[in-house]
Amino acid sequence: MSFSFFDLFWVFLFFSSLQPIWQRRQMEFRRVKTIQDFERGRSSRTILLIHRQESISLLGIPLSRYITIEDSEQVLRAIRLTPPNVPIDLILHTPGGLVLATEQIARALIRHPAKVTVFVPHYAMSGGTMLALASDEIVMDANAVLGPVDPQLGNFPAASILKVVEDKPISEVEDQTLIMADLSRKAIAQVQRFVRTLLKDETPKQKILPENIEKIVDALTTGQVTHDYPITVEEATELGLPITVGLPRNIYDLMELYPQPQGGRPSVQYIPMPYGDRRPRLPEPKGRPLPDPMEP
C-alpha cells in the first residue's frame, strides 16, 4: 500500500492539530502532580490564585487579569471541601481585583479553623494583600512585594478625592466632586473596618500584636502612598505583619508551570476529591520489627 504526497500531508496536519492538545494535557498533568507533591509534603490543602498579564494576540492590547466573582466561587468551594483540621496553603500571584470577591475569600479564610498560610513568590497587590492579611502566616520571596489596600473610585484614589475637597473652598467644588468625596469617605471607612476585622481575628492562630493593628490599618488604607506602591518584606515586617522570608522550591516549580498563557484557562486550581488523612506518614522501619512489650 502506497501513500501519495497528499495523504502524507493530511496525516501531518492531523498529528499537528493534536500536538497542542497533547501539550496542554502534559502541562495539566505536571501541575496536578506538583500540587499533590506539595500537599503531601505539608499535609495541607493547596489553592493557587494566579493572574498573569495577558495580551490579545491580534491587536496586542494588554488585558490584565484580576480577582473576579468566578475566582471567589472556586476558592470558596475549595475551602468548603477542606476538612476543618487540614491547613490551607494559598499561593498568590495577583494585582488585586473586585472588593466583593476579595472580601468573600478573606472571610472564608479567617473562618477556617486550621492554619492558613499565604505564599507570595512575586507580588500580591491590593486585594491580594487583603487575602494575605486574612492568613496566619505570610511566606514571601525576599524580593516579593505586597501593596496598599486603599479604595479606588474609578481611576482616582479615594484619599486624593477627599484632599481636593479639603484644599479648595466648598463654593469652588463641583457637585459631582462632592458626591465622589462622600463616597470616598464611606469607601475608606468600609475598608478600614474590614481590615480591622481581619487583623483582630480573635483565634489562637492570631500572631499580630494588638498595638500594631492601627498602625497597619493607617499605613495600608489612608492613601499615604500610591496604590501601586510596592511594600517590601522589610516594610511589611516593620509594620508588624507575620512575615516569613524564604519559599519552598516547589513554589517556584509551580510558578514555572503557569507561564504567560496563550489562551484561556482557569486561574484557580486545586485537587477537589477525594480528601482523606493528610498527616505525614512515618517511614517504615527497616529489618526485623521490634517485639511488642505488651504482648505476653
Side-chain angles (χ1 to χ4, degrees), residues 48-53 65 91-96 119-125 255 258:
L48 276 68
L49 186 56
I50 297 177
H51 297 110
R52 295 285 193 186
Q53 172 122 342
R65 300 193 68 182
I91 300 173
L92 279 181
H93 179 80
T94 179
F119 294 89
V120 184
H122 186 59
Y123 78 149
M125 306 296 284
M255 291 300 295
Y258 288 85

Side-chain angles (χ1 to χ4, degrees), residues 49 51 65-78 98 100-102 104-105 266-270:
L49 186 56
H51 297 110
R65 300 193 68 182
Y66 54 88
I67 303 172
T68 64
I69 293 296
E70 288 74 20
D71 288 340
S72 68
E73 290 175 357
Q74 291 297 316
V75 175
L76 292 180
R77 182 172 183 271
L98 297 179
L100 172 59
T102 301
Q104 285 182 311
I105 297 172
S267 56
V268 178
Q269 188 164 4
Y270 56 91

Side-chain angles (χ1 to χ4, degrees), residues 5-262:
F5 172 78
F6 291 103
D7 293 331
L8 294 175
F9 176 74
W10 285 113
V11 170
F12 172 77
L13 284 183
F14 174 73
F15 283 105
S16 297
S17 65
L18 292 179
Q19 184 180 8
I21 300 174
W22 171 253
Q23 289 176 337
R24 284 197 298 270
R25 292 290 177 87
Q26 285 289 99
M27 180 66 76
E28 181 64 25
F29 175 79
R30 292 173 60 193
R31 288 171 181 166
V32 171
K33 179 70 167 57
T34 307
I35 293 173
Q36 288 175 331
D37 291 342
F38 188 74
E39 288 185 331
R40 285 194 205 98
R42 290 183 53 85
S43 303
S44 67
R45 155 83 75 190
T46 300
I47 305 172
L48 276 68
L49 186 56
I50 297 177
H51 297 110
R52 295 285 193 186
Q53 172 122 342
E54 300 181 18
S55 297
I56 300 175
S57 58
L58 179 62
L59 302 176
I61 301 172
L63 178 64
S64 296
R65 300 193 68 182
Y66 54 88
I67 303 172
T68 64
I69 293 296
E70 288 74 20
D71 288 340
S72 68
E73 290 175 357
Q74 291 297 316
V75 175
L76 292 180
R77 182 172 183 271
I79 296 173
R80 283 197 304 271
L81 290 174
T82 307
N85 62 332
V86 174
I88 289 178
D89 291 331
L90 177 62
I91 300 173
L92 279 181
H93 179 80
T94 179
L98 297 179
V99 175
L100 172 59
T102 301
E103 290 196 6
Q104 285 182 311
I105 297 172
R107 290 186 187 277
L109 291 175
I110 64 174
R111 286 171 178 154
H112 186 69
K115 182 179 180 181
V116 175
T117 305
V118 163
F119 294 89
V120 184
H122 186 59
Y123 78 149
M125 306 296 284
S126 189
T129 298
M130 194 87 79
L131 298 183
L133 297 179
S135 69
D136 307 301
E137 183 183 15
I138 307 170
V139 184
M140 299 175 64
D141 181 88
N143 299 305
V145 295
L146 303 175
V149 298
D150 57 307
Q152 311 291 297
L153 273 66
N155 296 322
F156 303 105
S160 298
I161 296 174
L162 288 178
K163 194 170 188 317
V164 170
V165 177
E166 293 170 0
D167 291 350
K168 295 182 69 174
I170 194 71
S171 58
E172 298 181 14
V173 180
E174 296 181 355
D175 290 347
Q176 184 177 359
T177 305
L178 291 174
I179 293 172
M180 293 289 287
D182 181 58
L183 292 174
S184 298
R185 290 190 194 93
K186 294 174 182 176
I188 292 174
Q190 289 168 196
V191 169
Q192 289 181 335
R193 184 165 59 248
F194 184 64
V195 171
R196 286 192 188 95
T197 300
L198 299 179
L199 300 179
K200 291 181 179 179
D201 177 24
E202 297 177 358
T203 68
K205 305 181 295 176
Q206 180 66 22
K207 292 184 178 180
I208 297 177
L209 298 176
E211 57 266 27
N212 289 331
I213 290 178
E214 288 306 315
K215 180 171 69 171
I216 296 172
V217 171
D218 189 59
L220 296 182
T221 67
T222 56
Q224 298 177 12
V225 291
T226 59
H227 191 62
D228 59 353
Y229 175 79
I231 299 175
T232 63
V233 168
E234 293 78 12
E235 288 182 85
T237 303
E238 187 178 345
L239 284 174
L241 293 175
I243 304 293
T244 300
V245 181
L247 295 177
R249 179 69 245 179
N250 316 54
I251 301 289
Y252 300 108
D253 294 339
L254 270 171
M255 291 300 295
E256 289 178 4
L257 297 176
Y258 288 85
Q260 178 78 13
Q262 301 301 316

